[in-house]
Amino acid sequence: MNRNLAIAASVLVLLPLLGCSKTNKVEIDPGEDAGNNDQSLPECPAVSAPVSGKGPAMVHVGRLDGTCFWMDETEVTRGQYAAFLATSPADGANIAACQGKNPDFAPLQQVDLAQAQMPISGIDWCDAASFCAWAGKALCGTYTVNGAAVSAFQSTCTDGDNGEFNYEALKDGSRCNGNGATATVEVRSMQACVTPTLVFDLVGNVQEWTSECEGAECVARGGSYLSTGESWGCKARRSFPKDFEAADLGFRCCAEGSTPDAGQ
């Protein structure tokens, strides 16, 4: 976490409510819809992810290009992030864009790491990317279909926009944690907030850093417990500076996979 921020931590606590200039606006990226073609994602074999086992368990998920990848089934928890902190990670932690810029990985002060099953939040992009690298994974990004970039987060969240599953219908504040709720909840505690591939809480709870970056800003997806209207959902995204932190901003990791028939 960059401790050279000009804004005091006490003000940062309010940022999810107050916004942060132009980088806190809601963005719906129409270009990503070009890769969605109203079909279900391919089924992928139930094989173990080729990673360290650190962080959340992973789910083997299909993509619209016919390949498979792994996605954390939940947001990274505070307990899992505490295990990362216990290794005394070095500045940058093998993330080139963060070297010399991220000497401190601690979350915002009000995030109680003792609440082990709560999603980690209050961390910046370099903190999140460094955790994923430590776990042998990476922040979730994009892939290409018919020349268009498609968000792995979005296509998983909508199950490929297949017209049968609609995560957006879960946005009623009782199935997913959002719509102006008062706090985060433990991961997987809202059992109805899940995709057909058993990925939990892609909508609400905490918005999630991704590897989708342009210059000094990166995209967070899904909205949080504070979000309402178009600011939460499968296609909701916000761009923040890499050193931005907020009490409703966390992450999950992904890992590259295989073709749907691999391992069968």
Side-chain angles (χ1 to χ4, degrees), residues 57-76:
M58 303 197 85
V59 178
H60 210 195
V61 182
R63 294 186 285 211
L64 291 169
D65 63 357
T67 64
C68 298
F69 75 110
W70 278 271
M71 175 178 277
D72 284 348
E73 68 176 1
T74 69
E75 306 106 328
V76 172

Side-chain angles (χ1 to χ4, degrees), residues 1-210:
M1 164 168 45
N2 188 335
R3 295 302 182 194
N4 296 320
L5 294 176
I7 304 174
S10 60
V11 177
L12 283 172
V13 175
L14 299 176
L15 282 175
L17 294 170
L18 299 179
C20 179
S21 68
K22 69 181 182 65
T23 64
N24 203 32
K25 65 181 181 297
V26 177
E27 301 171 352
I28 306 297
D29 190 344
E32 291 175 350
D33 288 335
N36 293 335
N37 52 8
D38 296 325
Q39 65 181 25
S40 296
L41 300 175
E43 292 187 10
C44 297
V47 296
S48 298
V51 294
S52 65
K54 300 170 183 173
M58 303 197 85
V59 178
H60 210 195
V61 182
R63 294 186 285 211
L64 291 169
D65 63 357
T67 64
C68 298
F69 75 110
W70 278 271
M71 175 178 277
D72 284 348
E73 68 176 1
T74 69
E75 306 106 328
V76 172
T77 67
R78 296 179 187 181
Q80 291 158 350
Y81 193 78
F84 167 64
L85 291 179
T87 68
S88 301
D91 180 8
N94 300 319
I95 305 298
C98 301
Q99 305 231 336
K101 302 176 183 178
N102 200 63
D104 185 355
F105 293 85
L108 289 174
Q109 186 174 2
Q110 78 271 24
V111 177
D112 183 2
L113 292 177
Q115 295 178 314
Q117 295 305 309
M118 299 289 282
I120 186 63
S121 61
I123 44 86
D124 64 26
W125 186 88
C126 283
D127 297 336
S130 297
F131 175 97
C132 291
W134 168 75
K137 308 174 186 179
L139 288 172
C140 303
T142 62
Y143 59 99
T144 302
V145 177
N146 298 326
V150 179
S151 161
F153 182 105
Q154 179 177 315
S155 65
T156 303
C157 188
T158 60
D159 197 40
D161 275 0
N162 66 8
E164 296 178 3
F165 173 78
N166 185 1
Y167 216 127
E168 305 292 322
L170 305 183
K171 298 194 312 176
D172 60 8
S174 63
R175 301 180 73 176
C176 293
N177 186 36
N179 200 28
T182 58
T184 57
V185 296
E186 291 187 352
V187 300
R188 290 193 67 169
S189 62
M190 303 192 79
Q191 289 286 306
C193 191
V194 63
T195 70
T197 50
L198 303 181
V199 179
F200 291 84
D201 300 320
L202 286 172
V203 169
N205 217 17
V206 292
Q207 54 189 322
E208 301 180 23
W209 283 117
T210 72

